[in-house]
Amino acid sequence: MKTAILDKIIHVLKSAIKLPRAKRRGRPCIYKPKTIAVMFAVMMLKKIVHFKSMRKFLITNPGIAKLLGFTISIPHRSTLSRRFKGIYDFIKQQIK
């Protein structure tokens, strides 16, 4: 998939996904839930099934990582997995 098309898809997904805002106690998350949701959609489009592979993809494609919102650093695979588990129910509800 060409990156120009992927760029447009990422912009559309960022504008379409509306996650509920929840006030939580403790340290705020570095990576927003919307960023993780869009990253998961990119994983599906690129047919990447493991978070370790997605992390390698983001490292080798810094332009896409920046477009997704990973400007400071690319999260570790365990962070991606843990954060995805937190928004999984919402994504499943949105697909229905």
Side-chain angles (χ1 to χ4, degrees):
M1 185 177 294
K2 295 183 179 180
T3 57
I5 296 171
L6 190 59
D7 292 352
K8 290 179 183 178
I9 290 171
I10 290 171
H11 285 297
V12 169
L13 287 172
K14 279 186 174 183
S15 64
I17 294 176
K18 305 287 186 213
L19 292 174
R21 294 182 65 146
K23 287 267 184 173
R24 290 185 169 181
R25 294 177 61 180
R27 184 177 180 172
C29 295
I30 295 172
Y31 310 107
K32 295 181 169 58
K34 189 175 193 177
T35 302
I36 302 297
V38 174
M39 184 222 46
F40 180 69
V42 171
M43 279 179 72
M44 290 190 308
L45 288 172
K46 298 297 281 180
K47 298 179 182 177
I48 299 172
V49 293
H50 301 286
F51 291 107
K52 187 175 184 179
S53 301
M54 185 59 183
R55 184 170 194 273
K56 286 181 182 179
F57 173 76
L58 292 174
I59 289 171
T60 57
N61 298 300
I64 293 175
K66 186 175 180 182
L67 189 63
L68 284 172
F70 300 122
T71 55
I72 299 170
S73 65
I74 296 173
H76 193 264
R77 65 168 181 81
S78 60
T79 303
L80 294 174
S81 176
R82 185 178 66 246
R83 294 294 305 282
F84 174 71
K85 287 177 187 175
I87 62 169
Y88 175 74
D89 291 330
F90 178 77
I91 290 174
K92 194 165 69 171
Q93 183 183 26
Q94 290 296 314
I95 291 172
K96 287 181 183 179

